[in-house]
Amino acid sequence: MTQSRDDFEARLRQIGAERYHDLHPFHHRLHGGQCTPNEVRAWVINRYYYQHSIPMKDAAFMSRVEDPSLRRAWRSRIEDHDGTDENEGGIRRWLRLAEAVGLDPDYVASCEGVLPATKFAVDAYVRFVREKTLLEAVAASLTELFAPKIHANRIEGLLQHYDFADDRSLSYFRNRLKEAPKDVAFGLTWVLDHTDAPEKQDAAAKALVFKTDVLWSQLDALWGAYVEPARVPPGAWEPDSGLLMRQAS
Amino acid sequence: MTQSRDDFEARLRQIGAERYHDLHPFHHRLHGGQCTPNEVRAWVINRYYYQHSIPMKDAAFMSRVEDPSLRRAWRSRIEDHDGTDENEGGIRRWLRLAEAVGLDPDYVASCEGVLPATKFAVDAYVRFVREKTLLEAVAASLTELFAPKIHANRIEGLLQHYDFADDRSLSYFRNRLKEAPKDVAFGLTWVLDHTDAPEKQDAAAKALVFKTDVLWSQLDALWGAYVEPARVPPGAWEPDSGLLMRQAS
């Protein structure tokens, strides 16, 4: 039976309550101030790969949308990340965070030291959006529903516990607090408008679960590679490499 | 042997001189004022499918570009077609042309009457950009090198021969005269910068040939279906259907 609009929205929100990566121990460690500088750096390096792939994911979505008005509504997501004439964009803001934690932003932007497991998870998300239905693609984006809380916690936790944290280095998160609500309001309405059958509701819920897996598995990989006892896989960032010269000297 | 930059550019331009669709008899007929109103309408309906697919093609390209700066440079193509807050965009301009020739713009935007052969050709282009190398995708866009001449001829020919033609209905072409040179300058430089081996030059040339085929075959289909003796395939637009009420009454 098709769930009511309210019940189905509650079902989607419950997925976040149970599976969103704010529950992952790495985030408790990060926001609680227990991460070493190199753990923070490893997070910044790996999360960059996700950031830099998100506009590719959004372009993959737009490449399948025949309706110009839906493409127009979606395009602002790419602008928010890649930037415009007036807005430097999330990717450049993330590289400022990289610099603030002592990493060479060119090294981070090269994606050279990213964990293979991070790439597999993020690439799976881009491929998912390229191949699944538009409904599943939009539903997968709804983890943004749960992002404002984690961003607010993160800003508070980082400011409290880490010297590198200030308005400049954390501007990525402050901007997402402004940008994400507009995207998610659009996406949620779109999903609720397009789930008028039980199988569509199931597909949308499954897509959101998939996306929580994409986020969670990145933190598992980070923990396994960089939290003591660290087991850095071949080719991934070695702590204390890839630093800015002024830090390394 | 790798051709010099100048020789290779000349080779690309020669492809246009021999194969660009300004040479197709349908365009001679259109620009020379020999098209019937219904032939013009059939052209407007079918060309709309190309227009509405081009941002999907450009998004497919961006979905494969890892470099945020290349994505930023490419994004303006989508804006030119889909529109921005300040610019209504090429697709809306094309629908104005549809209205001017007596068609219901909602009918045209529905893509219902588009010839299957048009769809196959255009969809092949989107798929090409999704699947081939970035070099081949950019090279395929270089038919824009040859577009200013055809747009200028078209504006002149349509104004001279058809009552519907005025500044408002032809604004699509006037805008392309402004927009295309910036895109093609970027694309040509990019292709010349990335063809430092004979096999890359061959691949780029072949991609441009492919694109000329995409454009040419759309006009072949149009001619076969709508120029006397017309053979409209099942399901495609029937002359005198899909008109505005004020025309049909």
Side-chain angles (χ1 to χ4, degrees), chain A residues 48-49 51-52 55-56 59-60 62-66 68 71-72 75 78-79 81-84 88 91-92 111 126 130, chain B residues 48-49 51-52 55-56 59-60 62-66 68 71-72 75 78-79 81-84 88 91-92 111 126 130:
Chain A
Y48 178 81
Y49 189 79
Q51 307 293 101
H52 108 302
M56 299 168 73
M62 288 174 61
S63 80
R64 304 178 54 216
V65 172
E66 297 215 40
R71 286 198 303 255
R72 272 191 290 272
R75 202 179 60 217
I78 299 185
E79 292 162 5
H81 281 86
D82 279 346
T84 64
E88 63 178 340
I91 290 176
R92 289 197 190 98
C111 296
V126 178
R130 200 189 292 282
Chain B
Y48 178 80
Y49 189 79
Q51 306 293 100
H52 108 302
M56 299 168 73
M62 287 173 61
S63 81
R64 304 179 54 217
V65 172
E66 297 215 40
R71 285 200 303 257
R72 272 191 291 271
R75 201 178 61 219
I78 299 185
E79 292 162 6
H81 282 87
D82 279 345
T84 63
E88 64 178 336
I91 290 176
R92 289 198 189 98
C111 295
V126 178
R130 201 190 291 284

Side-chain angles (χ1 to χ4, degrees), chain B residues 2-244:
Chain B
T2 311
Q3 291 181 287
S4 73
R5 203 172 164 102
D6 284 351
D7 285 353
F8 182 58
E9 179 176 339
R11 176 177 166 192
L12 295 175
R13 289 187 183 277
Q14 188 58 27
I15 291 171
E18 290 171 12
R19 305 177 61 102
Y20 190 56
H21 64 170
D22 59 342
L23 301 171
H24 194 284
F26 187 87
H27 276 153
H28 297 161
R29 188 175 173 91
L30 176 68
H31 304 161
Q34 286 102 47
C35 276
T36 65
N38 278 334
E39 287 168 16
V40 174
R41 289 170 186 142
W43 169 68
V44 168
I45 288 169
N46 280 275
R47 172 80 186 194
Y48 178 80
Y49 189 79
Y50 180 76
Q51 306 293 100
H52 108 302
S53 299
I54 287 302
M56 299 168 73
K57 181 275 294 182
D58 287 316
F61 179 77
M62 287 173 61
S63 81
R64 304 179 54 217
V65 172
E66 297 215 40
D67 173 9
S69 68
L70 178 54
R71 285 200 303 257
R72 272 191 291 271
W74 207 264
R75 201 178 61 219
S76 68
R77 295 169 188 247
I78 299 185
E79 292 162 6
D80 288 344
H81 282 87
D82 279 345
T84 63
D85 288 346
E86 295 80 38
N87 172 9
E88 64 178 336
I91 290 176
R92 289 198 189 98
R93 284 189 200 101
W94 194 267
L95 291 174
R96 220 159 47 215
L97 173 63
E99 208 169 352
V101 300
L103 289 165
D104 179 350
D106 290 340
Y107 173 78
V108 175
S110 76
C111 295
E112 270 176 34
V114 174
L115 290 166
T118 303
K119 291 189 183 175
F120 297 151
V122 173
D123 293 355
Y125 182 33
V126 178
R127 204 163 48 242
F128 183 94
V129 170
R130 201 190 291 284
E131 292 174 0
K132 295 280 187 172
T133 63
L134 295 186
L135 171 62
E136 288 166 301
V138 180
S141 78
L142 294 185
T143 46
E144 293 277 9
L145 276 173
F146 321 122
K149 196 177 107 208
I150 202 175
H151 284 154
N153 286 349
R154 183 170 296 158
I155 291 169
E156 194 189 324
L158 295 179
L159 282 174
Q160 190 180 341
H161 297 296
Y162 300 93
D163 286 344
F164 70 81
D166 58 24
D167 277 352
R168 189 175 147 80
S169 62
L170 302 187
S171 68
Y172 174 83
F173 306 108
R174 290 210 196 278
N175 268 276
R176 290 309 298 160
L177 280 176
K178 284 184 284 178
E179 292 161 354
K182 130 183 99 56
D183 291 345
V184 81
F186 180 90
L188 180 59
T189 302
W190 200 92
V191 166
L192 296 176
D193 287 347
H194 289 80
T195 40
D196 55 356
E199 56 273 24
K200 292 184 191 172
Q201 292 183 332
D202 291 348
K206 204 172 150 192
L208 185 54
V209 166
F210 163 83
K211 174 66 175 303
T212 61
D213 289 343
V214 166
L215 296 173
W216 192 277
S217 64
Q218 290 177 68
L219 295 180
D220 275 351
L222 201 60
W223 191 287
Y226 294 107
V227 177
E228 292 302 334
R231 292 181 314 278
V232 180
W237 179 67
E238 292 288 348
D240 298 325
S241 68
L243 298 183
L244 283 169

Side-chain angles (χ1 to χ4, degrees), chain A residues 141-195:
Chain A
S141 77
L142 293 185
T143 46
E144 293 277 8
L145 277 173
F146 322 121
K149 196 176 109 210
I150 201 175
H151 284 155
N153 287 348
R154 184 170 295 160
I155 291 170
E156 193 190 324
L158 295 179
L159 283 173
Q160 190 180 340
H161 295 297
Y162 301 91
D163 286 345
F164 70 82
D166 58 25
D167 278 352
R168 188 175 149 79
S169 62
L170 302 188
S171 68
Y172 174 83
F173 306 108
R174 289 210 196 277
N175 267 278
R176 290 309 297 161
L177 280 176
K178 283 184 284 180
E179 292 161 353
K182 130 183 97 57
D183 291 344
V184 79
F186 180 89
L188 179 61
T189 302
W190 199 93
V191 167
L192 296 176
D193 287 347
H194 290 80
T195 40

